[in-house]
Amino acid sequence: MQESYDPAAVERAAQQYWDERRAFEAREDSTRPKYYCLSMLPYPSGRLHMGHVRNYTIGDVLTRYLRMHGYNVLQPMGWDAFGLPAENAAISNGVPPARWTRENIAHMRAQLKSLGFAIDWRRELATCDPQFYRWNQWLFLRMREKGLAYRKSGVVNWDPVDQTVLANEQVIDGRGWRTGAPVQKREIPMYYLAITRYAEELLRSLDTMQDWPERVRVMQANWIGRSEGCDIAFRYAPDAVEAVGSAGALRVFTTRADTLYGATFMAVAAEHTVALAAARHNAALAAFIEECRRGSVTEAEVATQEKKGMPTGLHVLHPFTGAPLEIWVANYVLMAYGEGAVMGVPAHDERDFEFALRNGLPVVTVVRSASGAYDEARAPWTAAYAEYGVTVNSGEFSGLTSQDAMNAIAAALERKGLGGKRVQYRLRDWGISRQRYWGCPIPIIHCGSCGEVPVPDEQLPVVLPEDLVPDGSGNPLAKSPAFYECRCPKCQGSARRETDTMDTFVDSSWYFMRYACPDAPAMVDARVGYWLPVDQYIGGIEHAILHLLYARFWTKVMRDFGMIGFGEPFTRLLTQGMVLNDIYSYQGEAGRKRYFNPADVDTRRGPDGVEVQEVVTPELGTVRVTHEGLGKMSKSSGNGVDPEGLVESFGADTARLFIMFASPPEQTLEWSDEGVQGASRFIRRLWNAVYEHVAAGAAPALEPLTLSASQRELRRAAHQALAKATDDIGRRRSFNTAIAAVMELLNSIGRCSDASPQGRAVRQEALSIAIRVLAPITPHVCHALWQALGFTSALVDERWPTPDAAALAQQRHAIVVQVNGKLRAHISVPVDADEAAVRAAALADAHVQKFVAGKAVRRVVVVPGKLVNVVV
RNA sequence: GCGAAAGUGGCGGAACUGGCAGACGCGCUGGACUUAGGAUCCAGUGGGGAAACCCGUGAGAGUUCGAGUCUCUCCUUUCGCACCA
């Protein structure tokens, strides 16, 4: 054994050992329980970032921990290789996205390998590989056959200068990121997947997913947004019939049908047919609709903008009173939700109330609180009354509770053929069309005479050409006749291939199945039945809704197609927090802000005693920088820490240990160079402890019954640390406290200088426990230390130790004594003492007596094994 | 705007089921060793107080023998909002 710890040599040797034995190749084996441990696949951006390191370290710790518990563990890796950044890189340096992506994958694969993850690399896949994405196309066509995939129009961000569709991310303050031109909303035809058909099941099965974090389940449930309500058709008044060109009705959905008599106006989205019809002869309204078209399509933007509206001059008729209600166009009504129209009930809806106040619309109270706490005559109006209550001013429906009124009104509407009860979801169908190059082609051919024609299965995959270079204006596929010119499969006439590609969420909705059978000639095969569902899935909280919901949907579709036998893809979910670091910036004279990496920032105390942060730059000399606080590590904030440099200077084990110790996995992690030093120091202390122990020669066999009190104490500390770490990793996924337990154990080992044969035997056991517990976290150094302790087995195949009940047993334990809830004494009682004895011992304590003397003891609360509270 | 989460020493965090607030680590202070220390080891380290003790988990109220933990109101920060992945 080397006297001092050399991480590079230790890690090289351990990795070589695992590689030579193909230690991480997972094979189907029906004799062992399987465990599929999966981390979300990375986007190949070029270099690993700390978020990746954190994600894959958590996965690797669990993989190795479960392997030590006898599971047949699969941990695969792949690349989410399609997407926008590759196109952006192509625009800035002219390299085709395919080449850029594959070079990035090669570099990042090497980086992952240097971290020593127990990955079965034989199963590696990249979503840009035709042998992968052909199955996106194949399943899309199956979904289309069932009506689960269909075409309709949707709204996108349009850059009028570049003549291109922009992603939400590419819209900055309502302007195109490259051109600076104000973005417009534009409607184009797109393909959708009917996820709403699964809304009910996606919602309902959340209740059974107890191993998902509560908050993720709540977020998904809210996203699906089931609401029970009522459809109401407001028939067009003659003016609206004339404008629209036919008789008909304005349909709305409401969860508050009980407030129907309080409707004083109607509001429709700017894209609504009634709005467009009214605008034909109304220049001001047309201008307002045009104004609503500005800005991006994101819900956040729509919801935070100033609520504006304009009357159309057209009317509908109240279904019961026949009273005319004017139709307004309002920018807060979303075309995508419900019918794109709402009934305005200012008295009982906050938003309608605000809108009515602004536009001088009447407010009519139709619900009062049952207790009378709400005064209908109250004036001036200050707020809407949005609670349930009892109806008033509602014709034949007056005097009912809100619930009864909703039932009665829905029934009456149904009798008149003007609506009825309905369940509405907030969830919308999933638009998968992207007007972009670097993605999976949608396998459709548009024929002048046959219309939309699916690409026949035998012509799949529709291969994406890899030599195009996007230039930022439009989709290069749409400018490439070699791609889009084709024959119609039906009539053999000349036709045009669809040039839109699929959302990359399609790839990530099923990639985890392909790992089970990467070479299958079908989309999936029987091996999926062995490995799936994923037992533990790990990834960023930012994926809590979209990716996870889409993957759940896709899985249910494949189940219903009879391809797989499970309906939920991920049994247990861990959502890891982000990695943060300090952000330092310098405001130059030109006004452009520059960011500096925290590693380059020097802190010194100025003459006035105040700390200042400075950076030395070649161009500007020494400049003073501002600490902007903590933020997610990112290129734009210049605060990333490169994992490669970290591995070079400290080793993979230090990086892994720090990341697992610095905070619980679900919380954000604040980067700390001192913390990294601390992790490195701990590993060296462990190394030194083993070195000193081993240098004294082999330890004799442990004889537990002959131990001295101090030897028993160390042995107890070792088994206690083991019991805690086992529970912390296995049940709680609380890696930081498991590591703390081992640190405490190493402190105990260090305090014990017992050189007797049994003293050394106890130390041998304690060290061997520490090393096995740390093995999943710092596998390389533990591999070396295990051998140094004299074990001939490979640590990677070793079983996790079991705490010895005899070692943990105690004769007495400590009880705390409170008087009136304040801590006053510690006492020690035999473990088998009964409640009366504990109570007596507590009251007998001199310090307790000091606070009890002269007062009447009203009550004594005894919590066995823990505490006594004397109430006086 | 809507949805979700988080606020505990100088810092990261611990306290798992309502029961000793601050485990473990960082930093800091003192000491040892050393030509030297950004190495290593030892001791100390929530605030106030000479002490007895008192105070202390974002703010305010409540429930309880007992609240960091439960309930309500508020404040701040972070994440998501459907075309970033």
Side-chain angles (χ1 to χ4, degrees), chain A residues 546-567:
Chain A
L546 291 178
H547 159 57
L548 291 170
L549 197 61
Y550 291 147
R552 293 181 60 215
F553 158 66
W554 194 277
T555 299
K556 289 175 194 302
V557 170
M558 287 179 69
R559 175 203 60 196
D560 289 347
F561 286 173
M563 301 170 69
I564 53 175
F566 53 95

Side-chain angles (χ1 to χ4, degrees), chain A residues 230-265:
Chain A
C230 190
D231 274 325
I232 305 176
F234 290 78
R235 269 197 287 259
Y236 291 139
D239 54 10
V241 172
E242 193 193 332
V244 175
S246 66
L250 185 60
R251 298 180 180 281
V252 304
F253 174 83
T254 177
T255 56
R256 290 300 302 271
D258 58 319
T259 65
L260 178 55
Y261 280 74
T264 59
F265 67 97

Side-chain angles (χ1 to χ4, degrees), chain A residues 260-266 324-326 328 343-346 356 361-364:
Chain A
L260 178 55
Y261 280 74
T264 59
F265 67 97
M266 305 297 289
L325 300 170
E326 186 166 22
W328 287 64
M343 64 175 192
V345 185
L361 292 161
V363 180
V364 176

Side-chain angles (χ1 to χ4, degrees), chain A residues 141-327:
Chain A
L141 293 175
R142 300 292 84 76
M143 290 169 85
R144 191 172 171 280
E145 287 162 4
K146 301 272 191 209
L148 279 167
Y150 64 94
R151 196 156 122 117
K152 70 164 184 182
S153 84
V155 187
V156 294
N157 301 305
W158 180 255
D159 185 321
V161 174
D162 262 350
Q163 293 283 299
T164 197
V165 175
L166 297 177
N168 287 336
E169 187 193 49
Q170 297 172 311
V171 179
I172 296 157
D173 298 328
R175 291 168 181 274
W177 68 333
R178 277 157 48 80
T179 62
V183 169
Q184 298 164 4
K185 296 185 181 78
R186 174 174 276 218
E187 283 199 54
I188 57 168
M190 299 198 288
Y191 284 94
Y192 285 83
L193 303 185
I195 189 172
T196 49
R197 280 209 219 161
Y198 284 83
E200 191 62 38
E201 194 197 340
L202 286 167
L203 179 66
R204 213 179 42 239
S205 40
L206 285 173
D207 293 336
T208 66
M209 294 156 64
Q210 292 309 308
D211 291 325
W212 276 38
E214 168 81 11
R215 64 167 160 159
V216 174
R217 285 184 286 137
V218 171
M219 279 195 271
Q220 290 216 348
N222 289 334
W223 185 262
I224 295 167
R226 184 182 199 276
S227 51
E228 290 179 9
C230 190
D231 274 325
I232 305 176
F234 290 78
R235 269 197 287 259
Y236 291 139
D239 54 10
V241 172
E242 193 193 332
V244 175
S246 66
L250 185 60
R251 298 180 180 281
V252 304
F253 174 83
T254 177
T255 56
R256 290 300 302 271
D258 58 319
T259 65
L260 178 55
Y261 280 74
T264 59
F265 67 97
M266 305 297 289
V268 301
E271 303 93 340
H272 197 280
T273 47
V274 176
L276 300 175
R280 277 203 294 272
H281 306 292
N282 184 338
L285 187 62
F288 177 67
I289 290 172
E290 193 52 40
E291 186 190 327
C292 291
R293 232 183 254 285
R294 283 208 290 268
S296 96
V297 300
T298 68
E299 191 184 323
E301 170 148 328
V302 172
T304 51
Q305 70 196 353
E306 191 190 352
K307 286 174 191 54
K308 287 185 186 166
M310 187 172 271
T312 60
L314 307 181
H315 297 79
V316 296
L317 304 174
H318 190 280
F320 295 129
T321 67
L325 300 170
E326 186 166 22
I327 303 169

Side-chain angles (χ1 to χ4, degrees), chain A residues 569-645:
Chain A
F570 313 119
T571 305
R572 188 167 182 167
L573 176 70
L574 191 157
T575 50
Q576 116 235 3
M578 295 182 310
V579 182
L580 311 182
N581 200 359
D582 292 298
I583 300 176
Y584 290 98
S585 68
Y586 168 71
Q587 188 82 44
E589 273 133 53
R592 206 187 151 85
K593 202 184 250 187
R594 258 186 75 175
Y595 289 92
F596 290 97
N597 195 285
D600 301 327
V601 175
D602 294 314
T603 300
R604 66 175 180 85
R605 222 171 265 284
D608 49 358
V610 179
E611 284 187 350
V612 296
Q613 277 91 32
E614 293 173 337
V615 173
V616 183
T617 66
E619 325 85 80
L620 302 163
T622 300
V623 297
R624 204 149 143 184
V625 293
T626 311
H627 184 221
E628 294 195 358
L630 285 166
K632 183 177 176 173
M633 281 192 184
S634 72
K635 215 174 259 183
S636 58
S637 305
N639 62 345
V641 174
D642 184 12
E644 209 171 306

Side-chain angles (χ1 to χ4, degrees), chain A residues 423-444:
Chain A
V423 173
Q424 165 80 25
Y425 298 93
R426 203 187 76 97
L427 182 67
R428 309 199 293 256
D429 277 346
W430 173 16
I432 59 159
S433 291
R434 298 292 180 268
Q435 297 68 43
R436 275 192 266 286
Y437 162 49
W438 191 234
C440 167
I442 293 175
I444 292 287

Side-chain angles (χ1 to χ4, degrees), chain A residues 769-802:
Chain A
I769 286 173
I771 284 161
R772 277 174 291 176
V773 169
L774 286 173
I777 298 159
T778 55
H780 309 88
V781 69
C782 290
H783 172 85
L785 293 176
W786 183 250
Q787 290 176 340
L789 282 179
F791 296 99
T792 49
S793 59
L795 180 59
V796 72
D797 294 322
E798 195 59 30
R799 278 308 185 93
W800 190 263
T802 309

